[in-house]
Amino acid sequence: MSLLINLFLLGFLLIIAIAVMRIHNLMAMAMLFGLYSLLVSGLFVVLDAPDVAFTEAAVGTGISTVLMLVTLASLRNSHEARYPGRLKKGPLLLSLLMGAMLVYGTHDIARLGEPSAPVHQQVGKHYVEKGQQETGIPNLVTAVLASYRGFDTLGEVTVVLTAGLAVLMLLTRPRKPHIKMEARNDP
Amino acid sequence: MTHNLILRVIAKWMIPVILLFALYVQFHGDYSPGGGFQAGVIFTTAFLLHALAYGRDATMRIIPENTLKYLSCLGVLIYAGVGVTSMVRGGNFLDYSRLASTPISGQHIGIILIELGVGITVASVMLLIFFTFSRRVIDQ
């Protein structure tokens, strides 16, 4: 059953990826990217990672699609992407090589849920065995993220705040930067 | 965006449900999947739906941009404040066990507070980014 769902989701992922490449309308492209994220979040549910699925569904499908639509709405020109139809050999070769290397790399990844994998031998073992007892939190993911890895999460939140501040600084600057005006006044 | 009656009515029904779900993910994160980050982004999607259905200005009347700027900093301050509080009470930075009389209840209080901080910052920063992006649509 899980295999069937996986094949279904991956098959549609492939179809959408090809459709994104073939399509010219940027609006449709944004919508397809949203669908892509929705399918990926479905895959995360199959992989028993509902936390990540939440985030992917909300950010990938919701917020980033809306941000792309807003960006498209602020474009003055048409919403068509046109490129010359010639097939370039170099980039194609490079992507095929990269893909082959990634597929080769998957052979070294431990099987899903393998107890003897290196990740489960180190500090993770302590979390699983003692986490409930030390924090009293039934959800181990929350216990690790918020308590054991509290510093990391603080850093992540700071990164989110910094990203917001950077967007504010970049997009809300006055039309004419001050530096230019001062330079013009100087002889 | 003037006569989207069906979209507006559906949005009006959906938004409270999404907000309630976000609050559930926020405060039930100890027991079920979820947490501050997930709750924050789900919270934001409710407001994005409102902005898409009713226009950006209507949403900005509910949450002004300046409030969002303060809220985004407040979240990080809550998080770091919990860490400093645990230092004041004689522990290490972010050592929640010192926050209450027993370590377990201290962990509970600390985790709920920092998740709240994460949620506030993530939700307000995401909305702020949306408002900033959408201003370029109106202004040109």
Side-chain angles (χ1 to χ4, degrees), chain A residues 50-52 54-55 58-59 62-63 66-67 70-71 73-76 132-139 142-143 145-147 149-151 153-154 157-158 160-161 163-164 167-168 171-172 175, chain B residues 21 25 29-34 37-38 41-42 44-45 48 52 69 72-73 76 79 93-94 96 104 107-108 111 114-115 118 121-122 125-126 128-130 132-137 139-140:
Chain A
D51 300 72
V52 192
F54 271 157
T55 316
V59 175
I63 296 171
V66 172
L67 284 184
V70 168
T71 312
S74 66
L75 286 180
R76 226 168 284 196
Q132 175 98 43
Q133 190 187 330
E134 283 177 359
T135 63
I137 304 276
N139 183 4
T142 302
L145 280 182
S147 186
R149 292 276 178 248
F151 270 67
T153 312
L154 178 60
V157 179
T158 317
V160 170
L161 177 66
V167 169
L168 275 179
L171 293 185
T172 57
R175 285 277 151 78
Chain B
F21 182 60
V25 170
D30 298 1
Y31 302 98
S32 61
F37 192 84
Q38 286 82 3
V41 289
I42 294 171
T44 308
T45 52
L48 287 191
L52 286 183
K69 283 178 194 166
S72 58
C73 300
V76 178
Y79 200 136
F93 187 63
L94 291 175
Y96 312 134
I104 295 288
Q107 290 279 345
H108 255 288
I111 287 175
I114 66 127
E115 293 279 16
V118 173
T121 292
V122 169
V125 163
M126 293 287 169
L128 208 55
I129 290 176
F130 169 70
T132 317
F133 268 59
S134 61
R135 189 185 289 128
R136 297 172 83 82
V137 182
D139 279 358
Q140 63 177 320

Side-chain angles (χ1 to χ4, degrees), chain B residues 13-34:
Chain B
W13 281 94
M14 291 287 288
I15 288 167
V17 180
I18 300 175
L19 288 177
L20 194 64
F21 182 60
L23 289 176
Y24 169 78
V25 170
Q26 171 79 57
F27 292 109
H28 212 255
D30 298 1
Y31 302 98
S32 61

Side-chain angles (χ1 to χ4, degrees), chain A:
Chain A
M1 190 61 195
S2 171
L3 181 75
L4 199 70
I5 297 173
N6 271 333
L7 278 180
F8 178 80
L9 289 173
L10 287 172
F12 266 100
L13 275 185
L14 198 66
I15 291 171
I16 288 176
I18 292 170
V20 165
M21 281 193 293
R22 307 292 299 179
I23 222 159
H24 291 298
N25 192 327
L26 290 177
M27 169 101 177
M29 229 185 247
M31 289 298 161
L32 282 176
F33 270 123
L35 259 182
Y36 191 91
S37 290
L38 196 64
L39 286 174
V40 171
S41 73
L43 270 179
F44 285 138
V45 173
V46 176
L47 288 171
D48 287 334
D51 300 72
V52 192
F54 271 157
T55 316
E56 181 67 38
V59 175
T61 315
I63 296 171
S64 65
T65 307
V66 172
L67 284 184
M68 272 193 259
L69 290 182
V70 168
T71 312
L72 281 181
S74 66
L75 286 180
R76 226 168 284 196
N77 299 329
S78 70
H79 291 172
E80 295 281 305
R82 292 252 167 251
Y83 7 77
R86 278 179 293 116
L87 184 72
K88 284 183 183 153
K89 289 231 174 69
L92 179 70
L93 203 70
L94 210 63
S95 346
L96 282 179
L97 197 71
M98 187 69 209
M101 271 163 65
L102 286 176
V103 169
Y104 178 72
T106 55
H107 289 298
D108 263 350
I109 295 180
R111 279 186 54 226
L112 191 69
E114 175 78 51
S116 63
V119 258
H120 301 306
Q121 293 304 314
Q122 311 282 325
V123 73
K125 210 172 176 180
H126 176 85
Y127 295 158
V128 172
E129 282 166 359
K130 297 273 173 62
Q132 175 98 43
Q133 190 187 330
E134 283 177 359
T135 63
I137 304 276
N139 183 4
L140 197 64
V141 178
T142 302
V144 171
L145 280 182
S147 186
Y148 290 113
R149 292 276 178 248
F151 270 67
D152 297 14
T153 312
L154 178 60
E156 277 167 32
V157 179
T158 317
V159 165
V160 170
L161 177 66
T162 317
L165 290 180
V167 169
L168 275 179
M169 282 166 70
L170 285 173
L171 293 185
T172 57
R173 59 171 186 208
R175 285 277 151 78
K176 285 179 184 166
H178 289 293
I179 304 164
K180 234 176 200 170
M181 288 163 71
E182 278 164 16
R184 203 182 294 153
N185 291 340
D186 283 340

Side-chain angles (χ1 to χ4, degrees), chain A residues 154, chain B residues 77-89 91-96 99 114:
Chain A
L154 178 60
Chain B
L77 276 179
I78 289 176
Y79 200 136
V82 169
V84 172
T85 310
S86 57
M87 267 171 89
V88 169
R89 294 178 71 98
N92 287 323
F93 187 63
L94 291 175
D95 181 7
Y96 312 134
L99 290 175
I114 66 127

